[in-house]
Amino acid sequence: MDEATRQRLAEEKAQRQQVMRDRLAEAFPGQDGITLEIGCGHGRWLASFAEVHPERRCVGIDLISRRIRFGEDKQSKRALSNVLFLKAECTEFIGALAPQWQLDDCFMLFPDPWPKKRHHKKRMVQDAFLSQLRQVMKPSGRFYFRTDQTDYFAWTEEKVEKHPDWSLAVDAQWPHEHSSYFQDILPDFQSLLAVPQD
């Protein structure tokens, strides 16, 4: 990649992140605590969470525009003023948060498991992701992860256990149960909760 292309891509990324910051400021003026769902799908779970927790400011991100539109439809039908759906890549969105916003919680439900070993580098839970997430997480914040893939669960558990910024919370309770597309079709799944290290 030549320098001109690298510069153009950096400028495009900066513009996308500024749009995200503007959307957040418009939706939640003067407030900085966010509950984030990465890979929100059609928004079913997050819309339910936002409805039950009107005091929370919720953001759902996904890479597929159609899914974001479904989430926005749920937001509109339920007249939810505390939830925002954005088309965004997770590390780009997290990078756009600091220093204005921090996370109260982050949820990742049934992410793509990339089961083949040669594709493991594409999994969202990586050392760099956990480091970046910790930078925008409040000390009292929590990272919630759920998957039906035994291998991906073990992968995430190991990543969290070995990461200096995180530790596993034993016997932690899942804060909100509501059906989601994958949860409805998958018979078994595992959940974990990670907490920031001081």
Side-chain angles (χ1 to χ4, degrees):
M1 183 186 303
D2 61 39
E3 185 57 35
T5 302
R6 189 178 292 108
Q7 180 65 27
R8 177 178 57 80
L9 292 175
E11 290 173 358
E12 290 173 356
K13 176 181 176 180
Q15 290 172 357
R16 289 192 300 270
Q17 289 183 312
Q18 187 58 54
V19 169
M20 295 175 203
R21 285 189 284 267
D22 291 345
R23 291 286 306 278
L24 284 169
E26 180 182 0
F28 308 130
Q31 302 173 12
D32 73 342
I34 291 172
T35 293
L36 173 66
E37 184 184 4
I38 296 172
C40 62
H42 293 180
R44 187 191 302 181
W45 185 88
L46 190 61
S48 171
F49 182 91
E51 194 169 29
V52 173
H53 298 281
E55 78 286 358
R56 294 290 194 99
R57 292 156 300 281
C58 304
V59 178
I61 61 171
D62 205 288
L63 285 173
I64 299 176
S65 299
R66 183 169 177 266
R67 293 175 181 173
I68 296 301
R69 289 195 295 271
F70 277 121
E72 290 173 338
D73 287 345
K74 291 176 177 64
Q75 174 195 23
S76 177
K77 288 176 182 176
R78 301 183 192 189
L80 298 172
S81 61
N82 65 325
V83 63
L84 176 67
F85 292 98
L86 294 173
K87 180 179 178 179
E89 188 274 332
C90 69
T91 59
E92 196 166 288
F93 177 80
I94 292 170
L97 289 177
Q100 295 95 326
W101 290 274
Q102 289 190 307
L103 298 180
D104 293 313
D105 296 295
C106 178
F107 292 86
M108 190 181 289
L109 311 180
F110 303 100
D112 192 327
W114 295 103
K116 295 181 180 178
K117 189 171 183 179
R118 69 178 184 271
H119 294 151
H120 283 183
K121 62 180 179 287
K122 296 184 178 183
R123 288 177 169 176
M124 284 197 282
V125 178
Q126 303 285 349
D127 294 338
F129 165 77
L130 290 171
S131 295
Q132 186 186 30
L133 185 65
R134 178 61 186 95
Q135 290 174 4
V136 295
M137 184 72 72
K138 291 182 177 180
S140 60
R142 301 289 183 263
F143 172 50
Y144 298 91
F145 178 87
R146 177 170 283 178
T147 182
D148 66 306
Q149 296 287 325
T150 301
D151 175 64
Y152 199 4
F153 182 83
W155 164 282
T156 300
E157 192 172 44
E158 182 179 2
K159 289 287 185 185
V160 170
E161 285 180 327
K162 291 183 175 180
H163 200 284
D165 293 339
W166 295 93
S167 61
L168 292 171
V170 181
D171 298 325
Q173 296 295 312
W174 198 259
H176 180 73
E177 288 291 355
H178 188 271
S179 64
S180 66
Y181 174 77
F182 286 107
Q183 194 163 313
D184 287 347
I185 65 173
L186 298 171
D188 299 302
F189 52 82
Q190 294 174 281
S191 308
L192 66 77
L193 165 60
V195 296
Q197 294 274 43
D198 294 335

